[in-house]
Short mmCIF file of all heavy atoms in Angstrom, two decimals:
data_model
loop_
_atom_site.label_atom_id
_atom_site.label_comp_id
_atom_site.label_asym_id
_atom_site.label_seq_id
_atom_site.Cartn_x
_atom_site.Cartn_y
_atom_site.Cartn_z
N MET A 1 41.00 34.95 31.78
CA MET A 1 41.43 35.20 30.41
C MET A 1 40.23 35.63 29.57
O MET A 1 39.15 35.06 29.65
CB MET A 1 42.01 33.92 29.81
CG MET A 1 43.23 33.38 30.47
SD MET A 1 44.56 33.57 29.31
CE MET A 1 45.82 34.13 30.35
N SER A 2 40.40 36.57 28.73
CA SER A 2 39.32 37.06 27.88
C SER A 2 38.99 36.06 26.78
O SER A 2 37.89 36.07 26.24
CB SER A 2 39.68 38.40 27.27
OG SER A 2 40.81 38.27 26.44
N ASP A 3 39.93 35.19 26.42
CA ASP A 3 39.70 34.20 25.38
C ASP A 3 38.58 33.23 25.79
O ASP A 3 37.75 32.86 24.98
CB ASP A 3 41.00 33.42 25.13
CG ASP A 3 41.06 32.86 23.72
OD1 ASP A 3 40.28 33.31 22.86
OD2 ASP A 3 41.91 31.99 23.48
N VAL A 4 38.55 32.83 27.06
CA VAL A 4 37.53 31.91 27.55
C VAL A 4 36.17 32.59 27.58
O VAL A 4 35.15 32.00 27.26
CB VAL A 4 37.91 31.38 28.95
CG1 VAL A 4 36.79 30.56 29.54
CG2 VAL A 4 39.19 30.57 28.87
N ASP A 5 36.14 33.87 27.94
CA ASP A 5 34.88 34.62 28.01
C ASP A 5 34.19 34.69 26.65
O ASP A 5 32.98 34.76 26.57
CB ASP A 5 35.12 36.03 28.54
CG ASP A 5 35.58 36.02 29.98
OD1 ASP A 5 35.29 35.03 30.68
OD2 ASP A 5 36.23 37.00 30.39
N GLU A 6 34.94 34.67 25.58
CA GLU A 6 34.39 34.83 24.25
C GLU A 6 33.96 33.51 23.60
O GLU A 6 33.34 33.52 22.56
CB GLU A 6 35.42 35.51 23.36
CG GLU A 6 35.75 36.91 23.82
CD GLU A 6 36.86 37.54 23.02
OE1 GLU A 6 37.23 37.00 21.97
OE2 GLU A 6 37.36 38.58 23.45
N ARG A 7 34.28 32.38 24.18
CA ARG A 7 33.94 31.10 23.57
C ARG A 7 32.46 30.81 23.72
O ARG A 7 31.94 30.69 24.82
CB ARG A 7 34.76 29.97 24.19
CG ARG A 7 36.21 30.04 23.82
CD ARG A 7 36.94 28.86 24.37
NE ARG A 7 38.37 29.04 24.16
CZ ARG A 7 39.29 28.34 24.74
NH1 ARG A 7 38.96 27.39 25.61
NH2 ARG A 7 40.55 28.55 24.50
N ARG A 8 31.79 30.71 22.58
CA ARG A 8 30.37 30.40 22.53
C ARG A 8 30.12 29.47 21.36
O ARG A 8 30.84 29.49 20.37
CB ARG A 8 29.54 31.66 22.33
CG ARG A 8 29.60 32.61 23.48
CD ARG A 8 28.73 33.82 23.23
NE ARG A 8 28.64 34.65 24.42
CZ ARG A 8 27.77 34.47 25.39
NH1 ARG A 8 26.89 33.52 25.33
NH2 ARG A 8 27.77 35.26 26.45
N CYS A 9 29.07 28.70 21.45
CA CYS A 9 28.66 27.84 20.34
C CYS A 9 28.27 28.73 19.16
O CYS A 9 27.53 29.70 19.33
CB CYS A 9 27.47 26.97 20.77
SG CYS A 9 26.78 25.98 19.41
N ILE A 10 28.73 28.39 17.98
CA ILE A 10 28.43 29.24 16.82
C ILE A 10 26.98 29.14 16.38
O ILE A 10 26.49 29.99 15.66
CB ILE A 10 29.35 28.92 15.62
CG1 ILE A 10 29.15 27.49 15.14
CG2 ILE A 10 30.79 29.20 15.98
CD1 ILE A 10 29.72 27.23 13.78
N ARG A 11 26.27 28.10 16.82
CA ARG A 11 24.88 27.94 16.40
C ARG A 11 23.89 28.45 17.43
O ARG A 11 22.98 29.19 17.11
CB ARG A 11 24.62 26.49 16.06
CG ARG A 11 25.51 26.04 14.88
CD ARG A 11 25.29 24.62 14.54
NE ARG A 11 24.30 24.58 13.47
CZ ARG A 11 23.74 23.49 13.04
NH1 ARG A 11 24.02 22.34 13.60
NH2 ARG A 11 22.89 23.52 12.04
N CYS A 12 24.04 28.06 18.69
CA CYS A 12 23.05 28.44 19.71
C CYS A 12 23.55 29.54 20.65
O CYS A 12 22.81 30.04 21.47
CB CYS A 12 22.62 27.23 20.53
SG CYS A 12 23.91 26.56 21.59
N SER A 13 24.82 29.90 20.55
CA SER A 13 25.45 30.96 21.35
C SER A 13 25.57 30.65 22.83
O SER A 13 25.81 31.55 23.64
CB SER A 13 24.71 32.30 21.17
OG SER A 13 24.78 32.70 19.84
N ASP A 14 25.42 29.39 23.24
CA ASP A 14 25.63 29.03 24.64
C ASP A 14 27.10 29.24 24.99
O ASP A 14 27.99 28.84 24.23
CB ASP A 14 25.26 27.57 24.90
CG ASP A 14 23.78 27.36 25.08
OD1 ASP A 14 23.04 28.36 25.15
OD2 ASP A 14 23.36 26.19 25.15
N PRO A 15 27.38 29.87 26.13
CA PRO A 15 28.77 30.09 26.54
C PRO A 15 29.41 28.81 27.08
O PRO A 15 28.73 27.88 27.50
CB PRO A 15 28.64 31.15 27.63
CG PRO A 15 27.28 30.93 28.19
CD PRO A 15 26.42 30.45 27.06
N GLU A 16 30.72 28.81 27.08
CA GLU A 16 31.48 27.66 27.56
C GLU A 16 31.18 27.37 29.03
O GLU A 16 31.28 26.22 29.47
CB GLU A 16 32.97 27.91 27.36
CG GLU A 16 33.83 26.71 27.65
CD GLU A 16 35.27 26.93 27.28
OE1 GLU A 16 35.78 28.05 27.49
OE2 GLU A 16 35.89 25.97 26.78
N GLU A 17 30.80 28.37 29.79
CA GLU A 17 30.52 28.19 31.21
C GLU A 17 29.29 27.32 31.44
O GLU A 17 29.17 26.67 32.47
CB GLU A 17 30.33 29.54 31.91
CG GLU A 17 31.58 30.38 31.99
CD GLU A 17 31.86 31.12 30.69
OE1 GLU A 17 30.92 31.39 29.92
OE2 GLU A 17 33.04 31.43 30.45
N SER A 18 28.35 27.28 30.49
CA SER A 18 27.11 26.53 30.71
C SER A 18 27.02 25.23 29.90
O SER A 18 26.12 24.44 30.13
CB SER A 18 25.90 27.42 30.37
OG SER A 18 25.90 27.74 29.01
N THR A 19 27.92 25.02 28.97
CA THR A 19 27.90 23.79 28.17
C THR A 19 29.31 23.41 27.75
O THR A 19 30.21 24.26 27.76
CB THR A 19 27.00 23.98 26.92
OG1 THR A 19 26.84 22.74 26.27
CG2 THR A 19 27.58 24.98 25.95
N ARG A 20 29.48 22.17 27.39
CA ARG A 20 30.79 21.71 26.94
C ARG A 20 30.92 22.04 25.45
O ARG A 20 30.10 21.65 24.63
CB ARG A 20 30.91 20.20 27.12
CG ARG A 20 32.25 19.65 26.67
CD ARG A 20 32.37 18.17 26.98
NE ARG A 20 33.61 17.67 26.46
CZ ARG A 20 33.74 17.10 25.27
NH1 ARG A 20 32.70 16.96 24.49
NH2 ARG A 20 34.92 16.67 24.87
N LEU A 21 31.98 22.79 25.12
CA LEU A 21 32.22 23.15 23.73
C LEU A 21 33.34 22.32 23.15
O LEU A 21 34.29 21.95 23.84
CB LEU A 21 32.58 24.63 23.61
CG LEU A 21 31.51 25.63 24.03
CD1 LEU A 21 32.05 27.06 23.86
CD2 LEU A 21 30.24 25.45 23.22
N GLU A 22 33.22 22.03 21.87
CA GLU A 22 34.27 21.36 21.13
C GLU A 22 34.72 22.29 20.02
O GLU A 22 33.98 23.17 19.60
CB GLU A 22 33.76 20.06 20.51
CG GLU A 22 33.35 19.03 21.53
CD GLU A 22 32.92 17.75 20.87
OE1 GLU A 22 33.67 17.20 20.04
OE2 GLU A 22 31.80 17.31 21.17
N ARG A 23 35.92 22.06 19.54
CA ARG A 23 36.45 22.89 18.45
C ARG A 23 36.45 22.08 17.17
O ARG A 23 36.93 20.95 17.13
CB ARG A 23 37.86 23.34 18.80
CG ARG A 23 38.34 24.45 17.93
CD ARG A 23 39.57 25.08 18.49
NE ARG A 23 39.79 26.33 17.79
CZ ARG A 23 40.73 27.16 18.07
NH1 ARG A 23 41.55 26.90 19.06
NH2 ARG A 23 40.88 28.26 17.38
N CYS A 24 35.93 22.65 16.11
CA CYS A 24 35.87 21.98 14.82
C CYS A 24 37.28 21.77 14.29
O CYS A 24 38.09 22.70 14.27
CB CYS A 24 35.04 22.81 13.84
SG CYS A 24 34.85 22.05 12.21
N VAL A 25 37.59 20.55 13.85
CA VAL A 25 38.93 20.25 13.36
C VAL A 25 39.19 20.88 11.99
O VAL A 25 40.34 20.97 11.57
CB VAL A 25 39.18 18.72 13.29
CG1 VAL A 25 39.15 18.11 14.66
CG2 VAL A 25 38.20 18.05 12.36
N VAL A 26 38.16 21.31 11.31
CA VAL A 26 38.33 21.90 9.98
C VAL A 26 38.51 23.41 10.06
O VAL A 26 39.47 23.97 9.55
CB VAL A 26 37.15 21.54 9.06
CG1 VAL A 26 37.28 22.22 7.70
CG2 VAL A 26 37.04 20.04 8.89
N CYS A 27 37.57 24.10 10.71
CA CYS A 27 37.60 25.57 10.71
C CYS A 27 38.01 26.18 12.04
O CYS A 27 38.30 27.37 12.11
CB CYS A 27 36.24 26.11 10.29
SG CYS A 27 34.94 25.81 11.50
N GLY A 28 37.97 25.40 13.12
CA GLY A 28 38.39 25.90 14.43
C GLY A 28 37.31 26.61 15.23
O GLY A 28 37.58 27.12 16.30
N LYS A 29 36.09 26.65 14.72
CA LYS A 29 34.99 27.29 15.45
C LYS A 29 34.50 26.37 16.55
O LYS A 29 34.62 25.15 16.46
CB LYS A 29 33.85 27.64 14.50
CG LYS A 29 34.24 28.67 13.46
CD LYS A 29 33.12 28.92 12.51
CE LYS A 29 33.53 29.92 11.43
NZ LYS A 29 32.51 30.06 10.40
N TYR A 30 33.91 26.97 17.59
CA TYR A 30 33.41 26.20 18.72
C TYR A 30 31.94 25.87 18.55
O TYR A 30 31.17 26.67 18.03
CB TYR A 30 33.61 26.98 20.02
CG TYR A 30 35.06 27.09 20.41
CD1 TYR A 30 35.81 28.20 20.06
CD2 TYR A 30 35.68 26.07 21.11
CE1 TYR A 30 37.14 28.30 20.40
CE2 TYR A 30 37.02 26.15 21.46
CZ TYR A 30 37.75 27.26 21.09
OH TYR A 30 39.06 27.35 21.42
N PHE A 31 31.56 24.66 18.98
CA PHE A 31 30.16 24.22 18.93
C PHE A 31 29.89 23.32 20.11
O PHE A 31 30.80 22.70 20.65
CB PHE A 31 29.86 23.48 17.61
CG PHE A 31 30.72 22.26 17.40
CD1 PHE A 31 30.29 21.01 17.81
CD2 PHE A 31 31.95 22.37 16.78
CE1 PHE A 31 31.08 19.89 17.61
CE2 PHE A 31 32.74 21.24 16.57
CZ PHE A 31 32.30 20.00 16.99
N CYS A 32 28.62 23.27 20.54
CA CYS A 32 28.25 22.40 21.66
C CYS A 32 27.80 21.04 21.11
O CYS A 32 27.53 20.90 19.91
CB CYS A 32 27.15 23.03 22.50
SG CYS A 32 25.56 23.17 21.70
N THR A 33 27.71 20.07 21.97
CA THR A 33 27.36 18.72 21.52
C THR A 33 25.92 18.65 21.00
O THR A 33 25.63 17.84 20.13
CB THR A 33 27.56 17.69 22.65
OG1 THR A 33 26.84 18.13 23.81
CG2 THR A 33 29.03 17.56 23.00
N ASP A 34 25.05 19.52 21.49
CA ASP A 34 23.67 19.54 21.00
C ASP A 34 23.59 20.04 19.56
O ASP A 34 22.72 19.63 18.80
CB ASP A 34 22.78 20.40 21.89
CG ASP A 34 22.55 19.77 23.25
OD1 ASP A 34 22.68 18.54 23.37
OD2 ASP A 34 22.25 20.53 24.20
N CYS A 35 24.46 20.95 19.18
CA CYS A 35 24.43 21.55 17.85
C CYS A 35 25.39 20.87 16.86
O CYS A 35 25.45 21.26 15.70
CB CYS A 35 24.78 23.03 17.94
SG CYS A 35 23.57 24.01 18.83
N ALA A 36 26.13 19.89 17.32
CA ALA A 36 27.13 19.25 16.47
C ALA A 36 26.50 18.55 15.27
O ALA A 36 25.43 17.98 15.37
CB ALA A 36 27.94 18.25 17.29
N TYR A 37 27.20 18.59 14.15
CA TYR A 37 26.82 17.82 12.97
C TYR A 37 27.67 16.55 13.02
O TYR A 37 28.89 16.60 13.06
CB TYR A 37 27.10 18.61 11.69
CG TYR A 37 26.75 17.83 10.46
CD1 TYR A 37 25.44 17.76 10.02
CD2 TYR A 37 27.72 17.13 9.75
CE1 TYR A 37 25.10 17.03 8.90
CE2 TYR A 37 27.38 16.40 8.63
CZ TYR A 37 26.08 16.36 8.20
OH TYR A 37 25.75 15.62 7.10
N ARG A 38 27.01 15.40 13.04
CA ARG A 38 27.72 14.13 13.19
C ARG A 38 27.84 13.42 11.84
O ARG A 38 26.88 13.32 11.09
CB ARG A 38 26.97 13.25 14.17
CG ARG A 38 27.04 13.79 15.59
CD ARG A 38 26.04 13.12 16.51
NE ARG A 38 26.13 13.61 17.87
CZ ARG A 38 25.57 14.72 18.30
NH1 ARG A 38 24.88 15.47 17.48
NH2 ARG A 38 25.70 15.10 19.55
N ALA A 39 29.05 12.95 11.57
CA ALA A 39 29.31 12.21 10.33
C ALA A 39 30.35 11.13 10.60
O ALA A 39 31.45 11.45 11.06
CB ALA A 39 29.79 13.15 9.23
N THR A 40 29.99 9.90 10.36
CA THR A 40 30.85 8.71 10.53
C THR A 40 31.63 8.73 11.84
O THR A 40 32.84 8.51 11.86
CB THR A 40 31.82 8.53 9.35
OG1 THR A 40 32.73 9.64 9.29
CG2 THR A 40 31.09 8.40 8.04
N GLY A 41 30.93 8.99 12.92
CA GLY A 41 31.54 8.92 14.25
C GLY A 41 32.31 10.15 14.68
O GLY A 41 32.88 10.18 15.76
N ARG A 42 32.33 11.16 13.87
CA ARG A 42 33.01 12.41 14.22
C ARG A 42 31.99 13.53 14.34
O ARG A 42 30.91 13.44 13.81
CB ARG A 42 34.04 12.79 13.15
CG ARG A 42 35.19 11.83 13.08
CD ARG A 42 36.16 12.30 12.01
NE ARG A 42 37.27 11.41 11.89
CZ ARG A 42 38.47 11.63 12.42
NH1 ARG A 42 38.69 12.72 13.10
NH2 ARG A 42 39.43 10.75 12.27
N ARG A 43 32.39 14.61 15.03
CA ARG A 43 31.51 15.77 15.19
C ARG A 43 32.17 16.99 14.55
O ARG A 43 33.37 17.21 14.70
CB ARG A 43 31.22 16.00 16.66
CG ARG A 43 30.34 14.94 17.27
CD ARG A 43 29.93 15.28 18.68
NE ARG A 43 31.04 15.28 19.60
CZ ARG A 43 31.40 14.23 20.35
NH1 ARG A 43 30.72 13.11 20.29
NH2 ARG A 43 32.42 14.32 21.17
N PHE A 44 31.34 17.76 13.86
CA PHE A 44 31.79 18.97 13.20
C PHE A 44 30.82 20.09 13.51
O PHE A 44 29.71 19.85 13.96
CB PHE A 44 31.85 18.76 11.67
CG PHE A 44 32.78 17.67 11.26
CD1 PHE A 44 32.31 16.37 11.09
CD2 PHE A 44 34.12 17.92 11.03
CE1 PHE A 44 33.15 15.35 10.72
CE2 PHE A 44 34.97 16.91 10.65
CZ PHE A 44 34.49 15.61 10.49
N CYS A 45 31.19 21.33 13.17
CA CYS A 45 30.29 22.46 13.41
C CYS A 45 29.23 22.58 12.33
O CYS A 45 28.20 23.20 12.55
CB CYS A 45 31.08 23.76 13.52
SG CYS A 45 31.80 24.33 11.97
N SER A 46 29.46 21.97 11.16
CA SER A 46 28.51 22.11 10.06
C SER A 46 28.68 20.98 9.04
O SER A 46 29.73 20.33 9.01
CB SER A 46 28.74 23.45 9.35
OG SER A 46 29.99 23.43 8.69
N PRO A 47 27.68 20.76 8.21
CA PRO A 47 27.81 19.77 7.13
C PRO A 47 28.93 20.13 6.15
O PRO A 47 29.60 19.25 5.63
CB PRO A 47 26.45 19.80 6.43
CG PRO A 47 25.50 20.42 7.39
CD PRO A 47 26.31 21.32 8.26
N GLU A 48 29.13 21.42 5.93
CA GLU A 48 30.19 21.86 5.02
C GLU A 48 31.57 21.45 5.52
O GLU A 48 32.42 21.01 4.75
CB GLU A 48 30.12 23.38 4.83
CG GLU A 48 28.90 23.86 4.10
CD GLU A 48 27.65 23.94 4.99
OE1 GLU A 48 27.77 23.93 6.24
OE2 GLU A 48 26.56 24.01 4.42
N CYS A 49 31.80 21.58 6.83
CA CYS A 49 33.09 21.18 7.40
C CYS A 49 33.26 19.67 7.35
O CYS A 49 34.37 19.18 7.12
CB CYS A 49 33.23 21.70 8.83
SG CYS A 49 33.65 23.46 8.89
N ALA A 50 32.19 18.92 7.55
CA ALA A 50 32.27 17.46 7.45
C ALA A 50 32.66 17.06 6.04
O ALA A 50 33.53 16.20 5.84
CB ALA A 50 30.93 16.83 7.83
N ARG A 51 32.05 17.67 5.02
CA ARG A 51 32.40 17.37 3.63
C ARG A 51 33.84 17.73 3.33
O ARG A 51 34.57 16.99 2.67
CB ARG A 51 31.46 18.10 2.68
CG ARG A 51 30.13 17.40 2.50
CD ARG A 51 29.35 17.96 1.33
NE ARG A 51 28.93 19.34 1.52
CZ ARG A 51 27.83 19.71 2.17
NH1 ARG A 51 27.03 18.79 2.68
NH2 ARG A 51 27.53 20.98 2.30
N ALA A 52 34.28 18.88 3.82
CA ALA A 52 35.66 19.31 3.59
C ALA A 52 36.65 18.36 4.24
O ALA A 52 37.70 18.07 3.67
CB ALA A 52 35.86 20.73 4.12
N PHE A 53 36.31 17.84 5.41
CA PHE A 53 37.20 16.92 6.11
C PHE A 53 37.34 15.61 5.35
O PHE A 53 38.44 15.09 5.17
CB PHE A 53 36.67 16.64 7.52
CG PHE A 53 37.54 15.71 8.31
CD1 PHE A 53 38.68 16.18 8.95
CD2 PHE A 53 37.23 14.37 8.43
CE1 PHE A 53 39.49 15.33 9.69
CE2 PHE A 53 38.03 13.51 9.16
CZ PHE A 53 39.17 13.99 9.79
N PHE A 54 36.23 15.06 4.88
CA PHE A 54 36.26 13.75 4.25
C PHE A 54 36.62 13.80 2.77
O PHE A 54 37.23 12.88 2.24
CB PHE A 54 34.92 13.02 4.43
CG PHE A 54 34.70 12.60 5.85
CD1 PHE A 54 33.73 13.22 6.63
CD2 PHE A 54 35.45 11.60 6.42
CE1 PHE A 54 33.53 12.84 7.94
CE2 PHE A 54 35.26 11.21 7.74
CZ PHE A 54 34.30 11.83 8.50
N TYR A 55 36.24 14.87 2.09
CA TYR A 55 36.46 14.91 0.64
C TYR A 55 37.44 15.98 0.20
O TYR A 55 37.81 16.01 -0.98
CB TYR A 55 35.11 15.13 -0.08
CG TYR A 55 34.13 14.04 0.24
CD1 TYR A 55 32.99 14.31 1.00
CD2 TYR A 55 34.34 12.74 -0.18
CE1 TYR A 55 32.09 13.30 1.31
CE2 TYR A 55 33.44 11.73 0.14
CZ TYR A 55 32.31 12.03 0.87
OH TYR A 55 31.43 11.04 1.18
N GLY A 56 37.82 16.84 1.09
CA GLY A 56 38.76 17.90 0.73
C GLY A 56 38.16 18.87 -0.25
O GLY A 56 36.96 18.95 -0.42
N GLU A 57 39.01 19.60 -0.92
CA GLU A 57 38.55 20.55 -1.92
C GLU A 57 38.89 20.01 -3.30
O GLU A 57 39.72 20.54 -4.02
CB GLU A 57 39.19 21.91 -1.68
CG GLU A 57 38.75 22.52 -0.37
CD GLU A 57 39.26 23.93 -0.19
OE1 GLU A 57 39.53 24.60 -1.19
OE2 GLU A 57 39.38 24.35 0.96
N SER A 58 38.23 18.93 -3.67
CA SER A 58 38.53 18.26 -4.93
C SER A 58 37.89 18.93 -6.12
O SER A 58 38.17 18.56 -7.26
CB SER A 58 38.09 16.80 -4.86
OG SER A 58 36.69 16.73 -4.66
N ASP A 59 37.03 19.93 -5.93
CA ASP A 59 36.39 20.62 -7.05
C ASP A 59 37.43 21.21 -8.00
O ASP A 59 37.29 21.12 -9.21
CB ASP A 59 35.46 21.73 -6.55
CG ASP A 59 34.26 21.17 -5.81
OD1 ASP A 59 33.99 19.97 -5.97
OD2 ASP A 59 33.61 21.95 -5.09
N ASP A 60 38.48 21.80 -7.46
CA ASP A 60 39.52 22.39 -8.30
C ASP A 60 40.26 21.32 -9.08
O ASP A 60 40.61 21.51 -10.24
CB ASP A 60 40.51 23.19 -7.45
CG ASP A 60 39.87 24.41 -6.81
OD1 ASP A 60 38.85 24.89 -7.35
OD2 ASP A 60 40.40 24.87 -5.79
N ASP A 61 40.52 20.17 -8.46
CA ASP A 61 41.22 19.09 -9.14
C ASP A 61 40.39 18.53 -10.28
O ASP A 61 40.92 18.23 -11.35
CB ASP A 61 41.54 17.95 -8.15
CG ASP A 61 42.53 18.40 -7.08
OD1 ASP A 61 43.27 19.38 -7.32
OD2 ASP A 61 42.55 17.77 -6.01
N GLU A 62 39.08 18.40 -10.09
CA GLU A 62 38.22 17.90 -11.14
C GLU A 62 38.20 18.84 -12.33
O GLU A 62 38.20 18.42 -13.48
CB GLU A 62 36.80 17.68 -10.62
CG GLU A 62 36.70 16.54 -9.63
CD GLU A 62 35.35 16.46 -8.97
OE1 GLU A 62 34.43 17.20 -9.39
OE2 GLU A 62 35.21 15.66 -8.03
N ASP A 63 38.21 20.15 -12.09
CA ASP A 63 38.22 21.13 -13.16
C ASP A 63 39.53 21.04 -13.96
O ASP A 63 39.52 21.16 -15.18
CB ASP A 63 38.05 22.55 -12.62
CG ASP A 63 36.65 22.79 -12.07
OD1 ASP A 63 35.73 22.01 -12.42
OD2 ASP A 63 36.47 23.75 -11.30
N ASP A 64 40.64 20.81 -13.27
CA ASP A 64 41.93 20.71 -13.94
C ASP A 64 41.98 19.47 -14.85
O ASP A 64 42.52 19.53 -15.94
CB ASP A 64 43.08 20.64 -12.93
CG ASP A 64 43.26 21.97 -12.19
OD1 ASP A 64 42.76 23.00 -12.68
OD2 ASP A 64 43.88 21.95 -11.12
N ASP A 65 41.42 18.35 -14.39
CA ASP A 65 41.41 17.14 -15.19
C ASP A 65 40.56 17.30 -16.45
O ASP A 65 40.90 16.81 -17.51
CB ASP A 65 40.88 15.94 -14.37
CG ASP A 65 41.85 15.55 -13.26
OD1 ASP A 65 43.04 15.93 -13.35
OD2 ASP A 65 41.41 14.87 -12.31
N ALA A 66 39.43 18.00 -16.32
CA ALA A 66 38.55 18.20 -17.46
C ALA A 66 39.18 19.11 -18.51
O ALA A 66 38.97 18.95 -19.71
CB ALA A 66 37.22 18.77 -17.02
N ALA A 67 39.96 20.06 -18.06
CA ALA A 67 40.57 21.02 -18.98
C ALA A 67 41.77 20.43 -19.70
O ALA A 67 42.11 20.84 -20.79
CB ALA A 67 41.00 22.29 -18.23
N GLY A 68 42.44 19.44 -19.09
CA GLY A 68 43.69 18.93 -19.65
C GLY A 68 43.53 17.74 -20.43
O GLY A 68 43.43 17.19 -21.35
#
């Protein structure tokens, strides 16, 4: 399958054939365990995805509360 051939870590570009890749639960990108960003026992592809997972996109909600 061509889908497997294209799977690489988004940070170090290691292919799935040479390392175990995980898929980020927030954005769906693939990352290896060496490049994973760890937060409270979970692994993500980046600090931004970890923040989005735990805090969501509350910036818009805060702006609405301040305006109203």
Side-chain angles (χ1 to χ4, degrees):
M1 297 248 138
S2 63
D3 206 16
V4 173
D5 294 336
E6 296 175 12
R7 290 184 188 165
R8 294 182 172 274
C9 174
I10 62 164
R11 298 179 95 189
C12 69
S13 298
D14 279 352
E16 188 173 39
E17 292 81 25
S18 64
T19 188
R20 180 175 176 266
L21 296 179
E22 296 183 53
R23 194 167 194 176
C24 182
V25 295
V26 177
C27 68
K29 295 177 183 173
Y30 290 95
F31 59 92
C32 68
T33 54
D34 291 337
C35 294
Y37 178 81
R38 291 166 178 82
T40 64
R42 294 181 181 259
R43 290 187 293 266
F44 300 92
C45 70
S46 68
E48 293 80 16
C49 282
R51 279 193 294 276
F53 181 81
F54 290 110
Y55 301 112
E57 295 186 25
S58 62
D59 292 343
D60 294 336
D61 295 338
E62 291 172 8
D63 290 342
D64 291 342
D65 291 341

